[in-house]
Structures are given as structure tokens and as C-alpha cells.
Amino acid sequence: MSTKQKTVAVHAGSRLTGSKAVPVMPPIFPAAVNWFDSSDDLSDALDGKDYAYARISAPNAALLEEAVAALEGAEACVAYASGMAALRSLFDAQPWKAGDVLVMPTDGYGVTRFLYKNLCARWGVELRPLNQTDPEAPSRIREWRPRMVLAESISNPLLRVPDIRALAQACRDAGSVFAVDATFPSPFGQRALELGADYSVQSTSKWLNGHSDALGGTVSGTKARMDPLRSARILSGDVLGPFEAWLTLRGLRTLPVRMKAHNEHAAHVAKRLSDSPLLERVIYPGLPSHPDHAVAGRVLEGGFGPMVAFEIRGAGQKEGDRFLEALRVCKPGPSLGDVGTLVMHAASASARRMTPEERAQAGIRDSLIRVSVGLEDPDDVADDLLAAVAKGAGR
């Protein structure tokens, strides 16, 4: 993220009206309904030119959308009540026909796969999981000519890093819409639109908010692509509440400084873990041993990401549970992006909605642990993880 973008994070989405007084931090506007002296003004508001009813548009969500669009380098942004609502909106925005193909990562977030699998079955669309880090992935996209391709900047939970530029070019060649869930690196670590994506998705509940106190999601892109999403949101009702929008905008102000530290801490923790004989492997894009290390250096900015994963040697569900219960500094939690370190057993959390066969296909083993590295002293985090691994393994 450039110096200019750091400034954008602090100041974007600050001015709501033309008033000469601009609050340093915008207030919360809880009103669901507004009234007007003029019928013409009310009519204009109902057409989206002002704030009439919060399901149509609301001040705090509008400010957040402005700020996220600026960070993403997008013309426009639409905010939703959750990241899953944002992903659902992407599906609904496509003109699906029976027999169309949707491509998504084999090792992607299990709940996204569960959602899209059910939607595809309903619409007669074929869902094709694809190892998007395979050198042949762009060729498969050109061959299959899918209606839409969804990628993850850093896959959840195996932390694979696809070449977004190459996938974007393949989608252009195939006439496919290309969406990227860029939640893991955040706009600090990757601006997917600049790499060729048509849509960039964020679960704002994670790094953008940064404090685990507000759900939300955004989709960013050109105004032409966002206008239909905005119109559809009026009918679906997937609006982001004013308090959640305010909390997320507050968290977004410190995104660059937080992400710099998260990235640095994750790199330190990964190096410490890689020296442990109790671990089968440590997965971190910044390690030379990572299969996508070179690609990550090209498509990620500001570091190699704030997430680390590892496999405990010889562990299964029982050993994984013992490991989680032995943590003292880190917290077992089914999310990421908090100031504190959150740890989860992948097969029973992020991949919980996947079948055993789907997990096996993706390479998600029962021994896999995912870590969202926080802002604690990184040696405290590493010490805690290693001590818990030893206890979970009965050492």
C-alpha cells in the first residue's frame, strides 16, 4: 500500500454533506426513516439522490462504501450485512442459464463452497472446483468458458496464492466474469481490481474492521457493475446497519499500520514454527518452502499476509482439540482479523461444511491448524503455539 493509500485510509469517507463543519469521526446516523418538507425532495430521495429509507441507502454505509472504494482503487462499492451476503449478491448478479459453469477454488472457504453448491443446484449450473495455482488453470478456464470464476487471493485455509493476473487474462479470453475474494490480504496486501478482477470482495468483519465487533461485507468494482448490485440490495434487504458501518470505518482508519504489524508478526511466527520437529509442515507464503512463494512476491504487497497454517505431526481431531484447549495467549476462534491471535482447527471450522471427500480433494487434513496472527509480541504467540502443540501431541 502506497503512502497515498495510507492517507486515504485515514481520511476517506469523512464528509457526508456540504456543511462547513466536518466531524473528525463521522457520527452514527441511526434513523431508519427521514422526512422532507418538499414532496419533490422526497421523490428525489426515493430515487436515490438523498436518504429516505435505510433499506435504500443510509449515511454510515455510504461513508464506508466511499472509503473502501478508495482503498480498492474502485469507482464504486456496495456494502452488505455480511461477507456471505456479498458473495450471494455476486451470484445473483449473473445472468445464469441452465448448463452454465461456475469455477471456484478447490481449497477455498468451505462455507462459500456450500453456498454456491446449493445455488448452482437450484439454477442448474455446474460447479467446477479448480486448483487455481496449477499452471494449467488458465487453460482450463479458456477451455470451460465459465459464466463466472471466483478466486481467493490467499486461499482459506491452505494459504495457496494464485496468479491473479494470469487468471484475469484467462477470464477475459473466455468471456468470463472474474471475482476475487481478497479478504485475507485486505486492500493493504492486494488490490485485485488492478490485477484484472471485475469484482473485489471483502468480508469487512475481518481486517477492515479489525476488532471482531462488527459483521459486514463489500463488493467493489466499476460503477456499471455496482449499480445493479445496489438496486438488488434494496429488494434483498441485505443492508449494513449504521453502527456496524461506523465501527468498520473506525477500524479501517488504522488498517495500514495494523496490517504492517500483522504481516511482520506472521512472518516471525512462521519462521519460529518451521523449526519445530512436532510439525509436519508450516504453510506461509513468505517461506521459501511455500509452493507459491514466487507468485506471492508478485501479487501481494506489503508482505506475505497475516495468516499462518501448519499441520501437527500425527494429529487428528482429538489431538487438535487438545491443542486448542492448551492455548493460553492465543484464542480458539472461528474467524480472523482481530488484534488478538485467533486459532482454529480447519476441518471442524472453516471447512466444516465440506464433505470428507471435498476436504480430501482440497488437501485439508485433520491435522491442519489455521492461525490469524495478532498484535501480541510475536514470540509470545510462537511460544504459546509451540507449547500447545507439544501438549496436544502428548510431549
Side-chain angles (χ1 to χ4, degrees), residues 311-320 365-368:
E311 291 181 342
I312 303 173
R313 191 178 300 278
Q317 176 74 56
K318 182 173 68 173
E319 291 79 10
R365 303 174 184 173
D366 285 344
S367 58
L368 183 65

Side-chain angles (χ1 to χ4, degrees), residues 143-226:
E143 175 189 345
W144 295 341
R145 304 185 70 82
R147 173 74 65 184
M148 185 174 90
V149 174
L150 173 70
E152 293 179 356
S153 298
I154 303 174
S155 72
N156 182 6
L158 285 169
L159 311 186
R160 298 301 304 268
V161 183
D163 188 336
I164 297 298
R165 284 193 183 92
L167 295 180
Q169 183 60 58
C171 287
R172 285 193 292 271
D173 295 342
S176 307
V177 167
F178 185 37
V180 176
D181 184 335
T183 295
F184 269 27
S186 86
F188 175 87
Q190 186 179 92
R191 298 191 354 149
L193 299 173
E194 293 180 353
L195 300 180
D198 297 308
Y199 299 97
S200 180
V201 182
Q202 298 286 337
S203 173
T204 63
S205 320
K206 312 307 193 291
W207 304 109
L208 286 173
N209 168 264
H211 297 78
S212 297
D213 56 10
L215 292 176
T218 57
V219 181
S220 301
T222 63
K223 185 177 183 301
R225 290 191 183 277
M226 294 303 102

Side-chain angles (χ1 to χ4, degrees), residues 21 24 50 81 100 118 129 132 143 157 180 184 196-197 201 223 226-227 260-261 265 297 315 319 326 358 366 385 395:
V24 172
D50 206 337
D100 281 346
N118 282 277
Q132 296 178 356
E143 175 189 345
V180 176
F184 269 27
V201 182
K223 185 177 183 301
M226 294 303 102
D227 284 348
K260 183 176 185 294
H265 290 193
E319 291 79 10
E358 289 169 342
D366 285 344
L385 292 171
R395 303 290 180 87

Side-chain angles (χ1 to χ4, degrees), residues 31-378:
V33 182
N34 296 289
W35 63 276
F36 299 82
D37 291 315
S38 160
S39 295
D40 289 339
D41 290 342
L42 173 58
S43 180
D44 286 344
L46 290 170
D47 285 335
K49 298 175 183 177
D50 206 337
Y51 303 105
Y53 185 50
R55 181 167 53 80
I56 301 172
S57 61
N60 291 108
L63 290 170
L64 177 62
E65 289 170 347
E66 177 189 329
V68 173
L71 289 174
E72 294 270 31
E75 290 181 357
C77 170
V78 181
Y80 295 86
S82 69
M84 293 309 299
L87 287 164
R88 171 64 191 261
S89 77
L90 275 183
F91 185 95
D92 291 344
Q94 310 312 314
W96 297 105
K97 303 189 304 293
D100 281 346
V101 173
L102 167 64
V103 171
M104 66 177 301
T106 303
D107 58 334
Y109 182 35
V111 180
T112 303
R113 181 165 177 161
F114 185 75
L115 170 68
Y116 280 4
K117 183 167 67 173
N118 282 277
L119 291 173
C120 285
R122 189 181 306 170
W123 284 86
V125 173
E126 182 182 354
L127 176 64
R128 293 189 186 177
L130 176 66
N131 176 1
Q132 296 178 356
T133 60
D134 188 316
E136 295 301 313
S139 297
R140 297 286 81 76
I141 291 171
R142 293 184 179 96
E143 175 189 345
W144 295 341
R145 304 185 70 82
R147 173 74 65 184
M148 185 174 90
V149 174
L150 173 70
E152 293 179 356
S153 298
I154 303 174
S155 72
N156 182 6
L158 285 169
L159 311 186
R160 298 301 304 268
V161 183
D163 188 336
I164 297 298
R165 284 193 183 92
L167 295 180
Q169 183 60 58
C171 287
R172 285 193 292 271
D173 295 342
S176 307
V177 167
F178 185 37
V180 176
D181 184 335
T183 295
F184 269 27
S186 86
F188 175 87
Q190 186 179 92
R191 298 191 354 149
L193 299 173
E194 293 180 353
L195 300 180
D198 297 308
Y199 299 97
S200 180
V201 182
Q202 298 286 337
S203 173
T204 63
S205 320
K206 312 307 193 291
W207 304 109
L208 286 173
N209 168 264
H211 297 78
S212 297
D213 56 10
L215 292 176
T218 57
V219 181
S220 301
T222 63
K223 185 177 183 301
R225 290 191 183 277
M226 294 303 102
D227 284 348
L229 295 182
R230 196 179 305 280
S231 297
R233 187 189 60 183
I234 295 173
L235 300 179
S236 68
D238 295 323
V239 295
L240 183 63
F243 191 51
E244 289 77 13
W246 184 87
L247 285 169
T248 304
L249 185 59
R250 183 197 62 175
L252 181 151
R253 298 302 188 208
T254 60
L255 178 70
V257 292
R258 283 188 289 104
M259 294 307 293
K260 183 176 185 294
H262 284 299
N263 276 266
E264 291 173 352
H265 290 193
H268 184 85
V269 169
K271 178 62 175 66
R272 286 279 314 275
L273 294 177
S274 65
D275 295 331
S276 172
L278 295 177
L279 299 182
E280 185 74 28
R281 62 171 175 155
V282 176
I283 308 168
Y284 181 65
L287 293 174
S289 59
H290 191 284
D292 310 318
H293 178 66
V295 171
R298 296 197 303 270
V299 301
L300 299 178
E301 301 178 61
F304 289 94
M307 305 294 295
V308 177
F310 58 85
E311 291 181 342
I312 303 173
R313 191 178 300 278
Q317 176 74 56
K318 182 173 68 173
E319 291 79 10
D321 289 344
R322 285 206 305 260
F323 160 78
L324 292 176
E325 291 168 357
L327 293 170
R328 294 296 175 263
V329 175
C330 310
K331 305 302 181 189
S335 190
L336 58 122
D338 191 70
V339 293
T341 298
L342 295 175
V343 185
M344 54 152 249
H345 178 248
S348 58
S350 68
R352 190 182 189 92
R353 292 285 190 172
M354 297 172 73
T355 66
E357 294 75 22
E358 289 169 342
R359 289 198 297 271
Q361 181 188 31
I364 301 171
R365 303 174 184 173
D366 285 344
S367 58
L368 183 65
I369 302 295
R370 191 195 74 186
V371 183
S372 169
V373 181
L375 300 182
E376 305 97 337
D377 184 292

